[in-house]
Amino acid sequence: MRKDTILKSMICVVGAACMMGSSFVSNAEILDDSTVGITYALDQYISSLNIKEVKESEVVQEDNTPTCKYPEFEGKCLAYVEEAVNVREEPDEESERVGSLPVHGIALVIEKGDTWTKIESGITMGYVRNDFLLFGDQAGAYAEETCPKVAKVNTVTLNVRAEQKEDSDCLTQIPEGETYEVISRDDDVDGWTYLRVDSDIEGYVSSEYVDVSYGFAHAISVAEEEEIRLQKEREEAARLAEMTSTKRQEVVNFALQFVGNPYVYGGTSLTNGTDCSGFTMSVYAHFGYGIPRTAAAQMAGLQNVSLDSIQPGDLLFYRDGSGSVGHVTMYIGGGQVVHASSSRTGIIVSNIGYRTPCGAARIIWD
């Protein structure tokens, strides 16, 4: 406290005391002597306090630095579910469903209640039970531990290299706009990101040419769900219209039945698990065609065709990190292939250019 502030306070206190004690001191005494006596007493009292005047520069300012460990998750929540959780119009289980928040779905917290939280994600706004959500730092810790990271290529063609240096062997090339799984490694260094392209290709890419993020999803509104359903119907109709009644198209139809089934290294079961060459071998075996077991043997043992003349049912081959043929897919038409990709994704459909093929072969000739 500053000296002048104390002085003013003491004057008020002593002045009040003087007024209260007017019966003991005459008006003349107050007028003649009170100012001198009060000033002297205050000086003596203030001196006895040994007050140190604090400079403005010495005042410690309040620290406004965020104390949360994951500030990027402040005001957000993450779906803590195995499949998806419904988003309701009102905080009630019987309320109309307005959408769904999928696994690893992220949302803004609009209003958090004791049981329900109002969220906004994508174009969907509504209520989700708190049991199915993680908030703030809890969401951040869960994401860091559990949620996969993905890298989206932001250059026309990107080399995947065997080591973290520019002159390292190029394992394959990946195109702009495609997204790949990021794998954390103990030997990671700044400037390089390690990707899994598929079951037999993993390697490093220059970090400046990929945008890395968590593989979060947004809520899907009821209207969007319906549009997705209709789009799938349109795509299926277009695919079927493209197909003919040839045996090659029958093979493609049969192969597509198993999309979503698991990848198992060394496996040949279309339902319980297969690897890439086991998949193509088993599909063709269903139609009475015997082809070799491995991708390399299939490329070597089958009649090759040029990549610019492929037809549905043809096989496309890819080299692994050692330069040997290590992966095979089946062309299904429309610029897409079906293949047993990896243990994470299982049997999937990919764009034909998700990797650079090194050759193609045909089993069925019209």
Side-chain angles (χ1 to χ4, degrees):
M1 185 180 296
R2 298 182 183 275
K3 183 184 289 187
D4 57 347
T5 304
I6 296 174
L7 181 59
K8 290 178 182 178
S9 300
M10 290 298 294
I11 289 172
C12 292
V13 173
V14 175
C18 290
M19 293 178 66
M20 293 175 64
S22 60
S23 59
F24 298 97
V25 182
S26 69
N27 289 339
E29 290 173 329
I30 293 173
L31 291 172
D32 292 341
D33 302 318
S34 61
T35 303
V36 175
I38 290 171
T39 302
Y40 175 78
L42 286 175
D43 286 341
Q44 293 298 310
Y45 175 71
I46 291 171
S47 298
S48 70
L49 293 178
N50 192 29
I51 295 173
K52 178 183 178 181
E53 187 170 340
V54 180
K55 296 179 180 179
E56 189 172 326
S57 61
E58 296 175 346
V59 176
V60 178
Q61 299 296 323
E62 184 179 351
D63 186 4
N64 294 320
T65 303
T67 56
C68 54
K69 185 176 180 182
Y70 302 94
E72 67 271 30
F73 286 91
E74 191 171 358
K76 298 177 182 178
C77 60
L78 201 61
Y80 185 56
V81 291
E82 292 184 0
E83 293 184 4
V85 60
N86 288 323
V87 182
R88 302 282 180 183
E89 187 173 18
E90 300 294 339
D92 189 315
E93 293 286 1
E94 302 302 319
S95 177
E96 184 178 354
R97 194 177 72 86
V98 296
S100 59
L101 191 62
V103 180
H104 302 150
I106 195 166
L108 292 174
V109 175
I110 304 301
E111 181 182 347
K112 184 178 179 184
D114 293 335
T115 306
W116 293 80
T117 290
K118 189 174 185 179
I119 62 102
E120 182 178 5
S121 180
I123 64 170
T124 303
M125 183 181 292
Y127 292 86
V128 176
R129 284 185 60 91
N130 292 350
D131 317 47
F132 303 112
L133 299 173
L134 294 173
F135 300 88
D137 276 354
Q138 281 189 320
Y142 175 76
E144 187 174 60
E145 181 70 23
T146 309
C147 296
K149 286 186 176 181
V150 295
K152 185 175 183 178
V153 180
N154 60 26
T155 189
V156 176
T157 302
L158 181 59
N159 293 328
V160 181
R161 300 196 177 276
E163 299 178 36
Q164 302 174 78
K165 51 187 180 180
E166 290 291 347
D167 59 354
S168 175
D169 291 341
C170 179
L171 305 178
T172 191
Q173 293 181 316
I174 50 181
E176 185 174 15
E178 287 292 317
T179 300
Y180 302 89
E181 181 183 5
V182 174
I183 308 296
S184 297
R185 291 172 62 92
D186 294 336
D187 62 348
D188 281 347
V189 298
D190 290 342
W192 293 91
T193 301
Y194 193 73
L195 304 182
R196 174 174 292 145
V197 180
D198 55 26
S199 62
D200 69 312
I201 285 286
E202 294 179 3
Y204 293 96
V205 297
S206 179
S207 298
E208 67 177 304
Y209 298 118
V210 291
D211 299 317
V212 178
S213 61
Y214 282 110
F216 292 143
H218 289 94
I220 303 173
S221 69
V222 170
E224 288 175 315
E225 290 174 349
E226 177 63 14
E227 179 57 31
I228 290 171
R229 185 188 67 80
L230 292 174
Q231 181 61 27
K232 286 183 177 179
E233 288 184 357
R234 288 192 290 267
E235 290 175 355
E236 178 65 11
R239 186 180 65 81
L240 292 174
E242 181 182 285
M243 292 182 173
T244 66
S245 60
T246 66
K247 183 67 71 176
R248 285 185 290 101
Q249 302 301 337
E250 293 178 31
V251 170
V252 168
N253 287 341
F254 179 75
L256 289 171
Q257 297 179 63
F258 305 103
V259 170
N261 287 351
Y263 173 98
V264 174
Y265 180 74
T268 59
S269 172
L270 296 172
T271 53
N272 297 323
T274 179
D275 59 19
C276 63
S277 56
F279 174 70
T280 53
M281 182 189 74
S282 297
V283 167
Y284 270 107
H286 177 78
F287 294 90
Y289 296 91
I291 65 175
R293 172 65 183 87
T294 67
Q298 289 175 9
M299 182 173 177
L302 299 173
Q303 188 168 348
N304 295 156
V305 294
S306 63
L307 289 169
D308 59 3
S309 64
I310 55 173
Q311 298 182 34
D314 289 349
L315 305 184
L316 303 183
F317 301 96
Y318 309 80
R319 298 192 186 281
D320 59 22
S322 67
S324 302
V325 174
H327 192 67
V328 58
T329 68
M330 179 184 293
Y331 183 60
I332 62 174
Q336 294 183 311
V337 295
V338 62
H339 58 134
S341 176
S342 69
S343 56
R344 183 179 71 86
T345 59
I347 300 173
I348 60 172
V349 172
S350 301
N351 290 328
I352 191 171
Y354 90 102
R355 269 180 74 184
T356 305
C358 63
R362 181 167 300 160
I363 292 93
I364 302 173
W365 295 78
D366 292 338

